[in-house]
Amino acid sequence: MTDLHDLTAVQLLERYGSGDLSPVEATRAALDRIEQIQPRVNAYSRVDHEEALRQAEESAERWRRGEPAGLLDGVPVSVKDILLMRGGPTLRGSRTVRTDGPWDEDAPAVARMRDHGAVFLGKTTTPEFGWKGVTDSPVYGVTGNPYAPGCTAGGSSGGSAAAVALGAGPLSLGTDGGGSVRIPASFCGIFALKPTYGRVPIYPASAFGTLAHVGPMTRDAADAALLMDVITGADWRDWSQLGPFGGSFREAIAGGAEGGGAVDGLRVAYSPALGGDAAVDPEVAAAVRRAVELLAGLGAVVEEIDPGFEDPVEAFHTLWFSGAARVVQPLGQEQRELLDPGLREVCAQGASYSALDYLAAVDVRMALGHAMGRFHSAYDLLVTPTLPITAFEAGVEVPEGSGHARWTGWTPFTYPFNLTQQPAASVPCGMTASGLPIGVQLVGARHADAVVLRVAHALYGAGVAEAVPSPVG
């Protein structure tokens, strides 16, 4: 028998509709699960038991009347503590953020979830201001991996990934500026999507500019499609939003009109190392290749080919570190001493760049976007490993002995697609012999979010995630 905390959002909603399960029961199960896992992995930064149960009771009454409020009515959810959620502080992992508020506004995606009846369990952990690809901060401490708590959950949405993997709420909202939903999804064995930039409105605007995306972190692609149908609504507070999708992602994954048909005949480019010199772990490479073979078996036309661009890491650093410097610019010296030491270092580097340096990085970004646009005129989808490695020791920015100076050194397959604003997802596709999850990355052309979700859903249907058992905890 499946435990309540192991049910997906889609499964919960089916049982609410049939009367077999109440949102109160599901919420109590999620809250109990948080209490069990929190000492082990430190996934949540704040949990509001009373408010969550109040919301669940209201949802249960709506279901009793046969009048659910929306697509998520009664589903327990969490929100990364980068995004505003009214009713409590959004500290963003920093001791420099004042707690006195007022905290009376929801971020756009949070507001949409609230409109659709979601039950908010609380906020999940993040590194300070979401600056790096692992999750530890001066405020929250270290977030561990669900499969091996001594290893990192990844980041910067590590708390969300750990919570979803361990059944502490089936849906979570994360942010991704350089891989921040995909990295922890790969390390923690869950699904995550970085949508096309602007598809999900953002407010307040990120200091990292148009690198920053909001996306779903879920147990599978079906739950992500459900959540995307909720959070992609327009919001006037984001001037760069794309507006409503104009269709249904749930229909798209089923091969409906908006999905453009089945996987059969899809043109797939498989790039084992993105054309770079990253040393991909042999177990990672083998698992990703098996996922590609599954796609071929589903009828995709697969070709092993690289996009053919040089690593844009220096341009990414210029944009990312400048954004970090802008975040802390208002802080006095005493407050700066409270920052994560690594963050202080990248802020100093970011402050050293000139406007011409920044614009030169923008030029690299535009050229990369042009190159990928041309590439996708020949290929519907690009497939790579999400990461060349699996989870390493928790509490450090880079693996010991790796020679990398910054987190970008071990995640070369994620940040290029923040520069290009393309949709990209991580799908669990295997485990190492030591019991750590492996992810495969699916990258679509800009605006082809439905294609990415449809292919991910097809992989789940073909059993790709069966190689990744749920963590014990």
Side-chain angles (χ1 to χ4, degrees), residues 353-398:
Y353 296 130
S354 69
L356 289 178
D357 293 330
Y358 193 94
L359 290 174
V362 171
D363 286 343
V364 171
R365 182 181 192 180
M366 289 191 293
L368 180 60
H370 177 82
M372 287 307 299
R374 183 174 60 247
F375 184 80
H376 281 288
S377 69
Y379 299 98
D380 300 299
L381 195 75
L382 170 66
V383 179
T384 76
T386 306
L387 300 165
I389 61 173
T390 54
F392 52 88
E393 179 186 357
V396 296
E397 184 184 348
V398 300

Side-chain angles (χ1 to χ4, degrees), residues 184-233:
S186 182
F187 279 177
C188 295
I190 68 163
F191 179 82
L193 172 70
K194 177 187 76 68
T196 300
Y197 179 82
R199 179 56 63 206
V200 179
I202 299 176
Y203 176 83
S206 172
F208 299 109
T210 57
L211 294 172
H213 304 57
V214 173
M217 304 184 73
T218 61
R219 300 291 286 274
D220 59 23
D223 269 12
L226 169 67
L227 187 49
M228 283 289 285
D229 274 350
V230 170
I231 64 177
T232 52

Side-chain angles (χ1 to χ4, degrees), residues 242-341:
L242 293 177
F245 172 54
S248 166
F249 289 103
R250 287 167 297 152
E251 291 179 6
I253 66 171
E258 296 297 332
V263 175
D264 188 41
L266 203 73
R267 302 167 299 170
V268 174
Y270 165 45
S271 179
L274 206 55
D277 57 3
V280 179
D281 182 286
E283 290 183 285
V284 171
V288 171
R289 186 172 290 275
R290 287 192 295 271
V292 172
E293 291 169 351
L294 272 179
L295 281 179
L298 292 170
V301 180
V302 177
E303 180 181 350
E304 187 169 327
I305 187 171
D306 296 319
F309 59 77
E310 295 183 0
D311 186 354
V313 67
E314 293 306 323
F316 179 79
H317 281 170
T318 300
L319 300 172
W320 189 254
F321 296 168
S322 295
R326 178 68 181 121
V327 169
V328 306
Q329 189 177 26
L331 302 181
Q333 187 56 42
E334 286 189 8
Q335 286 183 301
R336 286 174 182 253
E337 292 299 319
L338 300 175
L339 296 172
D340 179 334

Side-chain angles (χ1 to χ4, degrees), residues 443-472:
V443 183
R446 288 183 76 242
H447 311 295
D449 306 71
V451 173
V452 172
L453 281 168
R454 190 178 79 245
V455 174
H457 186 58
L459 281 172
Y460 273 96
V464 70
E466 293 175 3
V468 185
S470 297
V472 177

